[in-house]
Amino acid sequence: MACTVRIASPLRSYTRGAASLTARGNTLAEVLGSLEERCPGIRFRMIDEQGRIRPHMRLFVNSSEAQELTAEVNDGDTVHVICALSGG
Amino acid sequence: MPLSMSERERYRRHLALTEIGEAGQEKLKAARVLIVGAGGLGSPAALYLAAAGCGTLGLLDCDRVDISNLQRQVLFDSAQLGQAKATAGCERLAALNPEVRVIAHAIELRAANVREVFAQYDLVLDGTDRLATRYLINDACVILRKPLVSAAIHRFEGHLMSYVPGQGPCYRCLFPQAVDGMVANCAEAGVLGVLPGVLGTLQATEAIKLVTGIGEPLLGRLLTYDALEMRFSEFRVARRHDCAVCGEAPTITEPHDAPSRAAAPAGVRRLEVAALSEMLQRGEQPLLVDVREDAEFAAGHLSGALHIPLGQLPPRLAEIASRGDPVFICRSGGRSMAACQMALRANIRSPANLEGGMLAWAASVDPSVHVL
């Protein structure tokens, strides 16, 4: 299954500035694994050592929030990676 | 609070809106709004709220106007360089609309003063540039039951969400925990000057809606804006029942000053700038790895430092491991701490973090180095 992943601005240094990438997977965990292959290090910025979504990150599949990495991802979905911003 | 004749003239376009009208304008006149942070967000928010006739407008900021602010902080002009932002901003607001009572708070918001300051206002706008202050503002608004309009920016992206006590999630429901340094701030990463203009104006819009009671406020909805793609998105955010401040069993019952930096994990050496300076003077040659972005590095860096932006670090950790124990460097010590954590995960045994980063180096060792 192919999906689009929209990348939060603070993580775009991992994607060479790309705002969105195509990734593969049937679950959020697989999609992030696919993303990690192309952008080494990006998964660790979102997921901690215990496999939990970091508390300053939110992940959405389309408009629904995904609280677990087991969340289902379907062909054509968009995964949104949202990161707390500090600038004012 | 009835309107005077001159106010009727000034606000004629508002009075013509049936949704606002005389009753709404009187509510605006009676409103007491505090803007925390007279920066990129606070500037347009303050200007529009003053112009709109918000009766009492507080401006809180402890900084002074710097020339690098003027690219986006439209509340100030070149004649005000070096002046306290709170007082300089209030002068501009008073000139824009003398009907408005403006109050300058040239202080740093802390747990010790937040109750006293917030007691003077009915609504708070968060336009600060520190996550620690964002949590202080949010927690105080929840505890003191004040509505809050929160916005934040980074490079070309912005976020906006409103909070009304008892009616939806708070900022801590959205992001339960974050510390400065995890995310580069505007000074470190840069920001499109007009971006806070968009977000700050949206904050003012939300404030006017909340004061007058019109429209649908942005409660439980996170609005994101990507200026490069000119794309607004909206995400539903639920209240967390286990939220530390607005949840069912809150553990935060008093505003408190959060640590502004993450604690160093075990295995990371904390290296003060004075200690590094002494090492270099003794002729030692530690492996210096600067993880800032290209423009920051180009502006000024330590002699001999290897440049690897944080985002490009993971695939190059093996190269670093083969060359010795690294000292990671960034602007203020946050990103370099993240680099230390990555290094530990890559089995580099003793990474060091330059505490305070290049800002501390410029302040304590070499003032001639330029730090973006």
Side-chain angles (χ1 to χ4, degrees):
Chain A
M1 297 289 184
C3 68
T4 300
V5 185
R6 297 198 58 79
I7 307 294
S9 169
L11 300 187
R12 290 182 192 171
S13 56
Y14 291 84
T15 65
R16 298 179 185 275
S20 64
L21 294 170
T22 301
R24 296 194 165 272
N26 296 312
T27 64
L28 198 52
E30 291 175 8
V31 168
L32 296 185
S34 160
L35 195 62
E36 174 72 17
E37 287 175 13
R38 294 179 60 187
C39 311
I42 196 169
R43 185 181 184 281
F44 181 62
R45 296 294 299 274
M46 297 182 253
I47 309 297
D48 67 14
E49 292 86 344
Q50 284 77 43
R52 294 174 305 206
I53 298 168
R54 292 184 182 277
H56 66 288
M57 305 292 309
R58 298 286 289 243
L59 301 177
F60 293 83
V61 179
N62 301 324
S63 57
S64 302
E65 187 184 4
Q67 296 188 339
E68 304 290 343
L69 295 183
T70 52
E72 189 177 307
V73 180
N74 294 308
D75 198 34
D77 280 351
T78 299
V79 173
H80 299 266
V81 178
I82 309 280
C83 176
L85 307 179
S86 65
Chain B
M1 201 172 277
L3 304 177
S4 66
M5 285 304 291
S6 66
E7 286 173 320
R8 284 177 205 283
E9 283 299 306
R10 182 181 286 267
Y11 307 127
R12 198 189 305 167
R13 299 294 187 278
H14 269 175
L15 300 180
L17 292 170
T18 53
E19 292 84 352
I20 295 182
E22 184 135 347
Q25 195 63 48
E26 287 178 357
K27 287 179 185 172
L28 280 168
K29 185 176 179 180
R32 303 177 304 165
V33 177
L34 173 66
I35 298 170
V36 185
L41 293 168
S43 285
L47 287 167
Y48 273 109
L49 287 177
C54 176
T56 301
L57 204 49
L59 201 57
L60 190 152
D61 201 303
C62 63
D63 275 349
R64 292 183 176 275
V65 181
D66 182 85
I67 193 163
S68 66
N69 299 151
L70 301 182
Q71 162 252 22
R72 65 200 176 284
Q73 299 181 15
V74 294
L75 189 54
F76 312 111
D77 60 49
S78 301
Q80 293 175 313
L81 293 177
Q83 295 182 25
K85 283 186 173 181
T87 50
C90 281
E91 281 173 21
R92 174 82 187 280
L93 297 176
L96 173 62
N97 188 350
E99 309 279 2
V100 170
R101 176 173 167 249
V102 291
I103 303 173
H105 300 274
I107 58 171
E108 183 180 1
L109 192 70
R110 305 297 298 262
N113 58 27
V114 67
R115 275 183 178 273
E116 182 189 342
V117 174
F118 280 22
Q120 303 168 52
Y121 299 95
D122 311 308
L123 174 70
V124 179
L125 269 59
D126 183 350
T128 57
D129 58 2
R130 288 177 70 231
L131 286 164
T133 310
R134 290 186 177 277
Y135 284 107
L136 173 64
I137 293 168
N138 176 75
D139 295 351
C141 283
V142 172
I143 291 164
L144 303 174
R145 301 191 63 77
K146 307 276 183 187
L148 168 66
V149 183
S150 179
I153 51 170
H154 182 269
R155 289 174 54 80
F156 299 92
E157 181 179 334
H159 291 174
L160 180 75
M161 194 170 89
S162 298
Y163 161 76
V164 172
Q167 292 187 33
C170 73
Y171 184 76
R172 208 177 267 283
C173 292
L174 176 62
F175 298 118
Q177 188 183 29
V179 291
D180 292 289
M182 285 179 173
V183 179
N185 64 25
C186 292
E188 293 163 347
V191 63
L192 183 70
V194 72
L195 175 74
V198 174
L199 272 297
T201 305
L202 290 175
Q203 277 185 289
T205 309
E206 280 293 287
I208 290 169
K209 286 164 54 189
L210 288 169
V211 166
T212 57
I214 64 171
E216 186 184 351
L218 195 64
L219 304 180
R221 296 183 287 145
L222 172 69
L223 185 74
T224 67
Y225 170 57
D226 186 325
L228 278 182
E229 304 208 334
M230 196 47 75
R231 186 192 301 267
F232 284 91
S233 302
E234 183 185 313
F235 301 94
R236 288 277 168 188
V237 178
R239 188 170 157 238
R240 288 182 191 257
H241 296 293
D242 61 349
C243 175
V245 66
C246 80
E248 288 159 5
T251 54
I252 298 169
T253 55
E254 268 299 308
H256 69 285
D257 294 314
S260 61
R261 291 287 174 198
V268 173
R269 289 180 292 136
R270 286 185 176 278
L271 184 61
E272 301 293 338
V273 290
L276 177 60
S277 174
E278 287 170 15
M279 287 169 68
L280 297 175
Q281 284 174 11
R282 286 196 300 267
E284 295 179 38
Q285 294 182 321
L287 175 59
L288 304 176
V289 183
D290 193 320
V291 298
R292 296 177 297 163
E293 300 300 314
D294 293 349
E296 295 176 275
F297 185 80
H301 57 267
L302 298 188
S303 175
L306 184 63
H307 179 219
I308 308 178
L310 187 62
Q312 298 167 26
L313 185 61
R316 296 185 63 182
L317 283 167
E319 169 195 342
I320 290 171
S322 68
R323 295 174 60 172
D325 291 336
V327 176
F328 289 108
I329 300 167
C330 69
R331 180 176 183 268
S332 60
R335 280 173 288 171
S336 52
M337 185 60 81
C340 287
Q341 290 178 288
M342 291 179 186
L344 284 173
R345 284 165 51 85
N347 296 320
I348 293 175
R349 269 182 295 176
S350 190
N353 186 49
L354 185 65
E355 297 291 296
M358 291 303 292
L359 285 176
W361 183 268
S364 305
V365 179
D366 181 6
S368 70
V369 68
H370 184 45
V371 184
L372 284 182

